[in-house]
Structures are given as structure tokens and as C-alpha cells.
Amino acid sequence: MGTQEQPCYTLIQGPTDTEQPSEMQLKQDLENGDIPVKTAALKKVIQLILNGERLPGILMTVIRFVMPLEDHTIKKLLLVFWEIVPKTTSDGKLLQQMILVCDAYRKDLSHPNEFIRGSTLRFLCKLKEPELLEPLMPTIRTCLEHRHSYVRRNAVLAIFTIYKNFDFLIPDAPELISNFLEGEQDMSCKRNAFMMLIHADQERALNYLSTCIDQVNSFGDILQLVIVELIYKVCHANPGERARFIRCIYNLLNSSSPAVRYEAAGTLVTLSSAPTAIKAAANCYIELIVKESDNNVKLIVLDRLVALKDTPQQEKILQDLAMDVLRILATPDLEVRKKTLNLALELVTMRSVNEMVEVLKKEVGKTHNTVEHEDTGKYRQLLVRTLHTISIKFPEVAANVIPILMDFLSDNNELAATDVLVFVREAIQRFEGLRPQIIERLLSALPTICSVTVHCHTLWILGEYASTTGEILGVVSSMRGSLGDLPIVEDEMRKAAGEAGEEEGGAEKSAQQHQQQQKVTADGTYATQSAFSATTSKSKADDRPPLRKYLLEGNFYLGAVIANTLVKLAFRYNSLEGNPSKQNAFSAEVMLIISSIVHLGKSGLPQKSMTEDDYDRMMLCLQVVSERTPSLASVFTEQCRSALSHMLLAKTEEEEAQRRDRKSAKVIEHVDDHIAFSHLTKGSDPSSADDMFDLSMSMAVSGGKKEGVDLSTSKLSKVTQLTGFSDPVYAEAYVHINQYDIVLDVLIVNQTTDTLQNCTLELATLGDLKLVEKPQPVVLAPHDFCNIKANVKVASTENGFIFGNIVYDVKGSTSDRNVVILNDIHVDIMDYIVPATCTDLEFRQMWTEFEWENKVTVNTQMTELKAYLDYLCKSTNMKCLTPEKALSGTGDYMAANLYAHSIFGEDALANLSIEKPLDNPEAPVTGHIRIRAKSQGMAISLGDRVNKVQKATIKSVGA
């Protein structure tokens, strides 16, 4: 928002390795040189004065030989020179020579060139001597009437600064600027004048605004921003003025400037809680997000829109705009779409749910017709999850959502198809009326599925919920069709033998055709044929059914899923069919399919052999079908579904608990409540506290005042000693870690009686760190000290080391350079990773994709499983993804998944598997931690961190 323009003091960095010119040489250049020589000499003078050199004889030389020049570069440099040159004597009186300078100022303020006038006015804002400014006041007043807006704009700024610092020089400044404002047409001049009135005489500013409140929309954006700021201040200081200016804020919502609309919407929300005001501000935010091209701006405005729903009254208003919020989905950025869908989920109601589902269905259709890239698949996954949540929240729309989502089962994006099946699994469990429709859709989609994982999920759902004889027979028939002719091994052998015979016969036939082929064209010329274009016999395309193809590739976990599904269908068919012959026939067909898969696994035909786990599972299923005992029937037909029901219930309870926590976390405070900054008041004198009641309560709760300094909140905890106390040069570094860089503030102390010249801090890095710039050499007097800062860029999440030395020369010594080796500075990975959360499916997907694994053995003296897990999460900044209910209770083992995310976008996964004997409660926890990451450095660094914190537990127990 518009604020007062502060003076910009000029800082000039000059080279330190060049020879410094003498004062006599500079005087000669300033007196006798041409324009380029005088310019270079004046620059050197400015650099010397800025470096602390005193040049008392140079002032008159500049006044006599440089100031009369009309060169614009010289005049610009002179403004810098007059800013930094000492203007007073040692007793504080103004130098006599400055009278001549003041006359030069007055001439420049009357100069015909508007740039020189404006620059001089700008320079006057930096003067702090009223004796110099007083003779110039009439000339400054006349500059308000100059023809050029650049001069008028800076004249207003000069008057504002002078009035603020020395109001006795121009006591009528508010009245003068008010009259100037009424007749001014340039927006930048009006903006500066209005800014001055806001800070100098707010009543005049309000009166001016009242006279032109209907023309505010025609003003420029810089002036409109200042008007919004004024209205905000006035209405907060005097709430009675809201009715006077609220209409102006409404008008500014239609400004042509996005910045003005954004500020006006924020101001309107703070000034009024009326439904019309909230709705207008929300509509303004939505329009800004839709029309603005910068994704960062979209995210900022979207955060403001999300913040509006924190108040229950405003949330109800925003619910009417839920469909307008969905317009933001036209943005291609994935992060914007993700936040938009989350906001829409919280705003959807019974009135808007049907319309929202139709819009989301159209968005789903758009993802099918676009060029496939990474964000398209992720956006499709977001849409599936959003429709899933809406269907569970509003069951009446589930019937409309299921058909559109079923099309994703044949999608090449396995993540989206898996999310669809997660939704289908929950929907078929919760909504019994939709089960026939879902079963029918799954059976029709089964032949088009092109992923083994999706096939596994689909078969599990069909086996669990096919409840009628027709559905059961349809599932088995579909599975038989996807497996091909049985037995599989014999069928494959026949096909292999038949293809070999066909190839031999085809070779002979093609040879005969080749001999009989016509080699002469229609016009009587000979034709030529390349050997590369000649027809060759090709093997027949692999047209195997999908399930058989997966099994021949070695995916026998799918075989275990098929066997498990067939057992459930067999038990359910037997309970529905009373004819024993039909029961036996169905069971025999089931056993034929399972035994055929087992035979294939042991035949050697598949690309990969069958694992023992899959073999045991399928043999168990064969035994269960042959025995068909009631207890086993209960396990397969009832307890599996009961376990799913418990899992969904626990998930719902966890989401409700999180929702309640978010609502309870919103503490409503009064605007005049006292704010206590405990970190700033820690260790201070209790008598200096503002609120003695809060202090007494704090001391009563904490048990009294703690003695000593809390190093965790002090910079001392981040200080690293680099050299020893007996070294000639002592050094220590304060390591300040920002988001993407490290700032080393190194204190260097000369502990000798010699002057150290060219004292240089030389640094090098190990790991993914990069030194931005080399620190400059310094000169240290005896027992002197200095601070040197160095910046180190960080590119990825891994441990790093900064090492180096201090090199210096001793003044007057002819020996070689002296070197002091520094201790290493260790950059910890914990400064870059933060706890994060993800779904179980995403965790498993990343676990499969990440190629770097680091296995760490648990080595601790801790005896409690849960206590070790909590300590590990706290020490490594990782979040436990395993639900609390799964970790509660007592047992002799524990398994948990941990997840963290780095500021560079990298993910870190960990699987904790620990145990302890029940018969020995004092035995320490044993086990291992498997860490996986996309980069080797992150996996190794996180493993080193785990080993380090484990050693800390051993030391603490030993102590």
C-alpha cells in the first residue's frame, strides 16, 4: 500500500586493492583537468570520504572549479558529494563555505532543465541543516508551479520532508499543499500531495476526499492506493466514519488496477461484516485469481479467500459462491487447483452439490482430451479424490458419480485408477443399494483394465461383494475369459507347437511366392527391390488374455488374489445354491483354475518364478475349498468384510477428530487483549512486566523463575568455535541458516601484539554447498577484532561441511604467510526437512520408486516401543503416518511408517520395525529402520542423524 517515500542514502563500494590517490593529485585533477578527468577525480573524492578519509582542503577546490560546470554527470555527482561532505565545524556551526553552496542550490532550483531541478529537490530531502534550507524556501515554493510534473512531484516531497523535520521553516505547508492539490491534474503529484496531507493534516485530506469522492474511479492507481490507506486508518480510528466512506471502497472494487482491487477488498472485509460486503470482497478475489496470470499472485489471493471462511458467518456467505470458486480450475497450475478443490469441498452444501458434481464431471472429461503430461495425471487424481469425498459426504449423488469414475479403470494412469477403486470399495461398503450397479460396472470394465495392481483391487471387490448367483457366475465367467483355455500350461505348449509349425510352413510358402514374384513393371522396365523392404515372416502378436499375460510375466501375487477371490465366491455360491451337484461342480471349477495357476508357476514358463508365499497361499485356498468347513467360511465371507468396516470407521473417526481439532484451534481473541511475548520477557525483572496477573499466573504454573540462560532461544546455541584460545588468531562463527542459504558471521580476534595484514578467511565446502563470494581481506591492529560474513548456497537436502583456514601476514616480517587451520562446521539435515503427511497409497508408490535405501540398526537403551518411536519422530523431524490406534496397546513388536518433506521438494521415507521380549520388560528395544529417498545424500544424511540421536540415548542412560 502507499507509504511515505523515504530518503535513499547513497552507498558506493570502491576497489580496495588499488593505490589511493593523494589529496594534492586530486586537487590538480579537479582544477586543471577536462570533464572526464574531473568526473573521475570527483568519484575518487566521494569514495575516500565514504571510507572515512578527511580531505579538509578539497571543499573550496570543488566549489571553485567543479560547481560552476553545467555537465549533468558532474551535477549528479555533486549532489552525492554535498550529501556526505562534513558541513559543520567541530563545535557544530555551519561552515562559511556552505553559503556559496547554498547559492548554487538556489541556482539549480531555478535551472531551466527539469531533471536538474527535480534531482536537486530530491536531494534537499536528505539535508538535515535548517540553516541551509531556510534561504531556499521561496524557490522551493515556486517549483510547485513548474510546468513539468517531475519538478512538481519532487517539490511536494521536499516540502513534506522539510515540514516534518523543521516545521518552523514552512508553517503553512498543509494549506499550501491543499491548495496545490485542488488545482493539480497529474496523478503522481496528487498522490504525493495527498500522502503529505494524510500525515500532516488528516482533516484536510478527508475534506478533499469528500469533495471528489464520486471521481475516485477516474483517479490513477497510485492515488487510489493512498485513498484506500486513508479510509482504512480513519475508519479504524473513528468507526463512525464508516458509513461516509464505505461506498468509496465499494467503487474501488471495480478499479482497473488489480492492486487497488486487492487492497480495497481486504479493507472492505475489515471495515464491514455485512453479507453484501463479504460477498463483494469474495467476488473481487475470485475475479483477481481468474484474470491474473502470475501463479504466485493467484496463490496469495487464494489464501486470502480461504481465510474468509474461518468465521462461521462468512463461511455461510461463501457457500453461495462455491460454483464461482470452481472457475479458478481453469488455471493450469496444479497447486492452485489443489487449493481450489479443497476450498470447494469445504463450501459445498446440499443446494450446490449436484451442480458442483456436474462441473467436476466436465473437468474429468477435459483431462481425457488433453495431451498427457505429469500434471494431467495428478490433476485427474485430485478430481477423483474430490468426487470421492463429495460422494461420501452426500450419498445421494454417489449414483451419478460412479459411472464417470468407472471410466478411469481403463486409464493408463495407475494412481487415478487406484483412487477410483478406493472410492468404489468405500461406496460399495456404505451404500448397499448401489452394489448391483457397481458390480455390473466392474464386470464390464474388467476386460479393459491394463494394470495388474488395478486388476488385483477389482478382483478383491468383486470377490467380496458379489452376492447373488448370477453375479458370482458372471465374475467366474469373466475370470475364465481373462485366463483363456485351461489348463494354462498345456494350452501354452499347444500354442507354442502350433506356432512353430506355422512358421516352417509360412517360410516355404513365402519362398515359393518370392520365386514367382513379377519383376517387370507395367511399362516393360525392370523393378528394383531393397532387401530392407522385403517381406519377412513375423511372429504372431501376443494376443493372450490379460490375466494370463500377467501370470506369464511372473506376477503370481495376482494368482494369490485370484485364488482368494474364488474361495470367497465358492463359499457364497454354496450358501445360495442348495443343489449339491451344482455346489460340487462350482467348487471343482474353482479348484481347476487355482491348480492350473499353481502348475504354471512351477512349470518354468513364466519370466519369473513363483514365490513361496504365493505358493503357500494358493495351496491353502485349494485345501479350504476341498474341506469347506463352517469356521473357514466365516473367516472368508464375514470377517474380511468386518475388518474393512472397522478400518473405514477408524478412518472416519480420525478425520472427524482432525476437523474438531482445527475448529478448536481457532481461538477468538479480543482486539484489546494483552499480547505477551514470553521469549522477550524471559529472565527480565518481574517488576517491569505490564500485566502482573499474567506474571503471577505464569510463575505459579511453572513453579517459579528458572535460573540461568536458556541457550535454545539464544544465538549462543548456534556459535561454533573455529580455533583454539591459544592460537594467534581466535575465530568463532555464528551459523544462521535461512531457507536456501547459510550466513556465517565469523568473529576474528587478533591475540598478538603485531599488526596482521591481508588477514583472509578462506573457506571451502563439502557436499551440495556452494560458496557465493570470497570474503575480502582485512587488516587487524594488535588485539583488534572484526566480523566477516560469508554466504553459502544450499542446493539439496544432505549433510555438508564447511572447512577452511585463516591466512595473514605480519607487518614488518619477511617470513612466509601464516596459516591457522579452522575446525569444520557441520551443516545438519534437520534444518531443511519438516514433518509432512501423505496417503498410504502415495507412501507405497514412493517406496517402490525410490532407489536409495539406508538400513540402520536400532541401538538404544530405551525399553518402551512407543517411547522410542516418539523420540525418533521428535529427533528427526519426521511424522508418523501409522494411525494412533494401530500403535496403542501392548505387544512385543511394532511397525510404523514415517515421512518428511524437504524445502527443496524432496521426500524422505522410513519404515520402523522394532521388537522386545515380553518376558523381559527391562530389555532394550531392538530392530532396524529402513530409510528410502530419491537421492543418495538424503538417505545417508538421515541415517547419520538417526545414529547420532541413538548415541544420545545411550549416553543419557549411561550417565
Side-chain angles (χ1 to χ4, degrees):
M1 190 176 284
T3 56
Q4 176 191 354
E5 294 186 16
Q6 297 295 330
C8 298
Y9 292 97
T10 309
L11 301 176
I12 302 175
Q13 173 64 37
T16 58
D17 54 349
T18 57
E19 183 180 354
Q20 299 295 340
S22 63
E23 185 176 350
M24 184 61 67
Q25 180 65 38
L26 290 174
K27 283 185 177 181
Q28 291 178 359
D29 290 343
L30 291 173
E31 289 178 11
N32 304 321
D34 53 7
I35 294 295
V37 174
K38 289 186 177 183
T39 302
L42 189 56
K43 288 181 179 179
K44 292 177 181 178
V45 169
I46 292 172
Q47 290 171 355
L48 288 174
I49 295 177
L50 285 173
N51 291 334
E53 297 288 341
R54 291 187 172 274
L55 304 173
I58 211 77
L59 182 60
M60 277 308 299
T61 304
V62 173
I63 292 175
R64 290 176 57 197
F65 298 101
V66 181
M67 200 166 61
L69 299 177
E70 292 294 327
D71 183 74
H72 287 191
T73 304
I74 293 287
K75 286 190 172 295
K76 188 173 183 180
L77 289 173
L78 279 175
L79 294 179
V80 179
F81 176 77
W82 298 131
E83 177 188 348
I84 63 174
V85 73
K87 305 176 185 66
T88 57
T89 60
S90 57
D91 57 355
K93 294 184 179 179
L94 193 69
L95 291 172
Q96 294 296 324
Q97 296 92 325
M98 298 309 295
I99 297 175
L100 300 174
V101 178
C102 185
D103 186 60
Y105 291 159
R106 186 165 50 248
K107 290 180 180 179
D108 284 345
L109 289 176
S110 303
H111 199 282
N113 185 284
E114 59 271 9
F115 171 74
I116 294 177
R117 275 203 189 194
S119 300
T120 307
L121 288 166
R122 188 85 174 182
F123 158 72
L124 294 180
C125 297
K126 305 174 185 179
L127 285 183
K128 301 299 180 184
E129 293 78 21
E131 299 90 345
L132 287 175
L133 293 170
E134 186 175 6
L136 304 175
M137 294 313 302
T139 314
I140 294 174
R141 286 173 177 265
T142 58
C143 288
L144 288 175
E145 302 172 0
H146 193 271
R147 58 180 178 79
H148 202 282
S149 61
Y150 179 71
V151 178
R152 299 197 304 272
R153 178 167 71 241
N154 285 290
V156 173
L157 198 60
I159 291 174
F160 180 21
T161 309
I162 295 170
Y163 179 76
K164 184 178 66 173
N165 296 329
F166 317 105
D167 56 350
F168 57 88
L169 293 179
I170 182 167
D172 61 336
E175 182 181 358
L176 177 67
I177 296 301
S178 178
N179 295 333
F180 167 80
L181 186 60
E182 291 178 0
E184 182 58 47
Q185 298 298 323
D186 183 76
M187 286 303 161
S188 61
C189 299
K190 294 177 78 170
R191 181 257 182 196
N192 284 2
F194 197 72
M195 271 292 299
M196 176 184 169
L197 291 181
I198 290 176
H199 292 89
D201 192 344
Q202 197 174 91
E203 190 60 36
R204 288 181 184 271
L206 289 175
N207 291 336
Y208 172 76
L209 181 59
S210 300
T211 59
C212 61
I213 198 166
D214 293 330
Q215 290 87 34
V216 167
N217 275 345
S218 62
F219 291 166
D221 55 348
I222 55 175
L223 182 57
Q224 289 177 341
L225 285 172
V226 181
I227 290 174
V228 172
E229 179 187 4
L230 173 64
I231 294 175
Y232 180 83
K233 288 182 177 180
V234 170
C235 293
H236 270 275
N238 185 9
E241 298 283 349
R242 291 183 182 179
R244 181 181 175 188
F245 295 110
I246 198 76
R247 185 166 59 88
C248 179
I249 295 294
Y250 271 109
N251 292 336
L252 289 177
L253 290 178
N254 300 318
S255 171
S256 59
S257 169
V260 175
R261 296 206 301 274
Y262 175 76
E263 295 293 345
T267 303
L268 183 61
V269 171
T270 58
L271 297 183
S272 174
S273 58
T276 53
I278 303 300
K279 191 171 184 178
N283 276 322
C284 182
Y285 283 146
I286 293 171
E287 289 294 330
L288 285 173
I289 298 170
V290 171
K291 294 181 179 179
E292 188 60 39
S293 59
D294 190 344
N295 285 331
N296 293 324
V297 175
K298 289 177 182 286
L299 289 171
I300 292 171
V301 181
L302 190 54
D303 287 337
R304 294 292 295 266
L305 187 61
V306 172
L308 283 179
K309 68 173 182 55
D310 289 342
T311 307
Q313 293 82 1
Q314 295 180 358
E315 186 176 9
K316 292 180 180 178
I317 299 169
L318 288 179
Q319 287 174 353
D320 297 334
L321 301 175
M323 299 311 302
D324 292 326
V325 169
L326 290 181
R327 291 168 52 202
I328 305 174
L329 292 177
T331 303
D333 184 68
L334 186 65
E335 189 65 26
V336 175
R337 285 173 163 177
K338 184 176 181 180
K339 284 192 174 186
T340 303
L341 289 174
N342 290 337
L343 177 61
L345 273 178
E346 297 180 3
L347 298 180
V348 64
T349 60
M350 283 294 299
R351 292 177 297 171
S352 60
V353 63
N354 290 319
E355 194 174 354
M356 182 175 291
V357 166
E358 291 300 321
V359 173
L360 294 178
K361 284 166 68 174
K362 290 180 181 178
E363 288 294 319
V364 169
K366 291 178 184 178
T367 61
H368 285 296
N369 301 326
T370 57
V371 179
E372 189 72 25
H373 57 84
E374 184 180 0
D375 283 352
T376 303
K378 292 181 178 179
Y379 180 46
R380 199 176 299 159
Q381 196 174 359
L382 286 176
L383 291 172
V384 170
R385 291 181 181 178
T386 304
L387 289 169
H388 175 185
T389 308
I390 291 177
S391 300
I392 301 303
K393 192 175 180 180
F394 302 97
E396 55 275 4
V397 301
N400 296 329
V401 172
I402 288 174
I404 190 69
L405 291 185
M406 285 296 184
D407 295 338
F408 282 105
L409 293 180
S410 58
D411 197 271
N412 292 326
N413 184 4
E414 185 177 303
L415 294 177
T418 309
D419 278 341
V420 170
L421 288 173
V422 170
F423 161 63
V424 170
R425 183 186 64 184
E426 187 169 356
I428 203 171
Q429 170 67 21
R430 293 178 182 272
F431 314 131
E432 294 186 10
L434 297 177
R435 287 180 185 175
Q437 177 187 355
I438 295 175
I439 295 293
E440 181 184 353
R441 287 277 182 174
L442 287 177
L443 287 174
S444 62
L446 194 60
T448 63
I449 296 175
C450 51
S451 167
V452 63
T453 306
V454 179
H455 256 117
C456 290
H457 286 72
T458 307
L459 291 175
W460 187 92
I461 295 174
L462 289 172
E464 189 66 44
Y465 292 99
S467 54
T468 65
T469 305
E471 291 174 350
I472 293 172
L473 293 176
V475 173
V476 175
S477 174
S478 180
M479 290 172 65
R480 284 290 300 263
S482 295
L483 284 171
D485 297 334
L486 298 177
I488 299 175
V489 175
E490 284 76 1
D491 187 54
E492 286 294 318
M493 297 296 288
R494 285 196 304 270
K495 286 184 177 179
E499 287 177 5
E502 287 178 5
E503 287 180 1
E504 293 176 1
E508 295 176 359
K509 185 177 180 180
S510 64
Q512 293 173 3
Q513 289 178 352
H514 185 69
Q515 293 174 358
Q516 298 171 3
Q517 188 176 3
Q518 181 70 29
K519 298 296 183 182
V520 182
T521 60
D523 58 355
T525 59
Y526 287 99
T528 60
Q529 184 179 21
S530 171
F532 295 104
S533 63
T535 306
T536 58
S537 61
K538 296 182 180 179
S539 59
K540 296 180 64 177
D542 189 6
D543 53 354
R544 294 188 181 95
L547 293 184
R548 178 179 291 197
K549 183 173 68 173
Y550 297 142
L551 292 173
L552 288 172
E553 290 172 357
N555 292 312
F556 281 96
Y557 175 72
L558 174 63
V561 173
I562 292 173
N564 198 48
T565 302
L566 290 172
V567 171
K568 292 179 182 178
L569 294 175
F571 279 122
R572 201 163 289 119
Y573 182 84
N574 292 340
S575 64
L576 296 173
E577 180 60 57
N579 190 342
S581 61
K582 290 185 179 181
Q583 292 180 1
N584 294 333
F586 188 86
S587 299
E589 185 177 6
V590 167
M591 294 175 73
L592 173 63
I593 296 174
I594 299 175
S595 60
S596 178
I597 296 174
V598 173
H599 186 200
L600 177 65
K602 294 296 184 180
S603 66
L605 288 177
Q607 298 175 9
K608 300 176 185 177
S609 60
M610 181 170 53
T611 63
E612 292 297 325
D613 288 343
D614 296 335
Y615 175 75
D616 292 342
R617 181 69 174 176
M618 285 187 276
M619 294 305 294
L620 175 65
C621 290
L622 275 175
Q623 185 178 357
V624 169
V625 175
S626 64
E627 294 179 0
R628 287 183 279 178
T629 58
S631 58
L632 291 174
S634 173
V635 171
F636 277 89
T637 59
E638 297 176 6
Q639 295 183 21
C640 288
R641 192 176 301 185
S642 177
L644 173 63
S645 178
H646 286 306
M647 187 194 75
L648 295 176
L649 182 62
K651 180 183 175 183
T652 304
E653 291 176 353
E654 184 180 357
E655 291 174 352
E656 287 294 331
Q658 291 177 355
R659 193 176 295 110
R660 286 195 300 269
D661 292 341
R662 284 198 298 267
K663 288 185 178 180
S664 62
K666 297 175 185 176
V667 180
I668 300 176
E669 298 283 355
H670 295 289
V671 294
D672 55 350
D673 278 357
H674 186 82
I675 302 176
F677 298 95
S678 59
H679 287 282
L680 300 180
T681 58
K682 180 175 284 191
S684 61
D685 184 9
S687 61
S688 63
D690 293 334
D691 196 330
M692 294 305 295
F693 175 79
D694 286 346
L695 176 65
S696 303
M697 180 63 70
S698 175
M699 295 183 66
V701 171
S702 61
K705 179 183 176 182
K706 296 181 180 178
E707 296 295 333
V709 180
D710 185 5
L711 292 179
S712 64
T713 59
S714 169
K715 285 188 176 182
L716 296 177
S717 63
K718 297 182 179 180
V719 171
T720 303
Q721 185 176 341
L722 301 180
T723 64
F725 291 111
S726 60
D727 286 324
V729 176
Y730 173 76
E732 63 182 25
Y734 166 63
V735 184
H736 180 66
I737 298 178
N738 297 320
Q739 190 170 11
Y740 295 110
D741 64 339
I742 301 170
V743 179
L744 299 180
D745 190 354
V746 184
L747 171 67
I748 299 179
V749 182
N750 179 8
Q751 301 192 109
T752 68
T753 57
D754 300 319
T755 299
L756 306 184
Q757 295 179 332
N758 292 327
C759 185
T760 307
L761 176 66
E762 297 180 347
L763 297 175
T765 58
L766 181 65
D768 211 348
L769 305 175
K770 181 182 179 182
L771 189 65
V772 177
E773 57 184 353
K774 182 180 179 182
Q776 295 294 322
V778 296
V779 177
L780 288 178
H783 302 290
D784 194 8
F785 66 91
C786 70
N787 285 76
I788 297 177
K789 290 190 176 182
N791 290 328
V792 178
K793 280 291 180 186
V794 184
S796 66
T797 312
E798 62 179 74
N799 289 339
F801 293 91
I802 303 172
F803 56 94
N805 48 51
I806 295 176
V807 184
Y808 61 91
D809 296 327
V810 179
K811 186 177 182 180
S813 174
T814 58
S815 61
D816 294 334
R817 302 197 74 183
N818 300 277
V819 179
V820 179
I821 307 298
L822 305 180
N823 292 332
D824 295 343
I825 300 174
H826 180 248
V827 180
D828 197 352
I829 188 178
M830 290 301 101
D831 296 311
Y832 300 107
I833 68 173
V834 293
T837 184
C838 67
T839 63
D840 293 341
L841 183 63
E842 291 171 340
F843 185 91
R844 289 194 294 270
Q845 185 75 17
M846 288 187 288
W847 188 269
T848 305
E849 292 175 355
F850 291 172
E851 56 185 7
W852 292 103
E853 179 172 318
N854 187 7
K855 189 172 182 180
V856 181
T857 303
V858 174
N859 183 18
T860 181
Q861 296 297 322
M862 300 180 72
T863 58
E864 295 294 333
L865 300 176
K866 185 67 166 60
Y868 179 80
L869 172 63
D870 294 339
Y871 175 74
L872 187 67
C873 293
K874 181 180 179 182
S875 305
T876 60
N877 282 358
M878 301 193 81
K879 180 179 177 61
C880 180
L881 300 180
T882 306
E884 188 67 28
K885 286 190 175 183
L887 302 174
S888 58
T890 58
D892 58 347
Y893 69 93
M894 176 184 287
N897 292 332
L898 310 179
Y899 176 61
H901 191 73
S902 79
I903 60 176
F904 304 103
E906 299 171 313
D907 299 297
L909 313 176
N911 175 258
L912 173 69
S913 300
I914 52 179
E915 62 178 353
K916 59 171 290 185
L918 280 176
D919 55 354
N920 186 6
E922 298 301 323
V925 174
T926 59
H928 60 266
I929 305 164
R930 295 170 62 193
I931 300 168
R932 284 201 181 184
K934 202 167 189 178
S935 63
Q936 182 186 17
M938 190 169 188
I940 294 176
S941 301
L942 200 53
D944 293 341
R945 175 66 181 179
V946 173
N947 284 323
K948 182 179 178 180
V949 299
Q950 288 190 141
K951 290 178 181 177
T953 63
I954 296 175
K955 290 180 181 179
S956 62
V957 173

